[in-house]
Amino acid sequence: MNVFVDFIVRLLTDAIQMPGLLGEVALRSPLSAVIVATGTVFILLSVGVLGYSALGALGIPLPNLGRGPGDRIE
């Protein structure tokens, strides 16, 4: 049990320190900044799609993102 508590404390401590370290890495060169920004966009998009899907699976009414099966093109 002590190992589990130590793991959680270390995980939270590292999560708090991560933004500062990420800023240092991103500011080293312009290419690093582009890579970090691109990775952030991919992560945010995937989390957004998963969240949208999870809310839809829970039965929460959400707006349609495109043409549904009932929309006909004439």
Side-chain angles (χ1 to χ4, degrees):
M1 185 68 179
N2 192 19
V3 174
F4 181 69
V5 172
D6 290 341
F7 173 73
I8 296 298
V9 168
R10 176 73 186 262
L11 187 67
L12 292 175
T13 304
D14 289 347
I16 292 169
Q17 293 175 352
M18 183 61 73
L21 296 174
L22 193 61
E24 289 178 18
V25 171
L27 295 177
R28 287 193 178 171
S29 71
L31 183 60
S32 295
V34 170
I35 291 171
V36 169
T38 304
T40 302
V41 168
F42 280 129
I43 295 296
L44 289 177
L45 284 175
S46 62
V47 168
V49 168
L50 180 66
Y52 186 84
S53 300
L55 290 176
L58 291 174
I60 298 172
L62 299 170
N64 241 355
L65 296 178
R67 287 194 298 264
D71 296 338
R72 297 176 57 160
I73 301 174
E74 294 183 26

